[in-house]
Amino acid sequence: MLSKSGKAFDKAYIENEVAYHKAVIGAVEGLLIPSSKNAELKALLEKVVPALKVHLSHAEMVQMKFK
């Protein structure tokens, strides 16, 4: 198996990061928040979603440089 380097590595890395952020946001919004029984935990999860979305947005901006 050949390892990637340079732009190919960067492109693969950022594609993985975008997919990872989307998966985490989906899990937090679709599973963790709705199933949370602890009000403090639920509030913390709800508070962190906007930060996760900002990180996703930044990753998507970087990703656009590789399209």
Side-chain angles (χ1 to χ4, degrees):
M1 179 164 120
L2 297 173
S3 62
K4 295 179 185 200
S5 63
K7 281 191 171 189
F9 174 85
D10 294 344
K11 184 176 188 285
Y13 178 84
I14 198 62
E15 286 175 355
N16 183 69
E17 287 299 299
V18 168
Y20 176 77
H21 279 78
K22 287 179 179 181
V24 169
I25 292 166
V28 171
E29 290 182 322
L31 179 65
L32 297 176
I33 291 172
S35 65
S36 179
K37 306 282 189 238
N38 180 294
E40 188 176 351
L41 175 59
K42 187 173 188 170
L44 177 63
L45 292 169
E46 289 170 339
K47 185 176 180 180
V48 79
V49 169
L52 294 171
K53 289 182 177 181
V54 168
H55 281 249
L56 171 59
S57 175
H58 290 166
E60 288 173 331
M61 283 190 282
V62 172
Q63 184 183 39
M64 292 304 293
K65 295 178 182 180
F66 293 94
K67 298 262 175 182

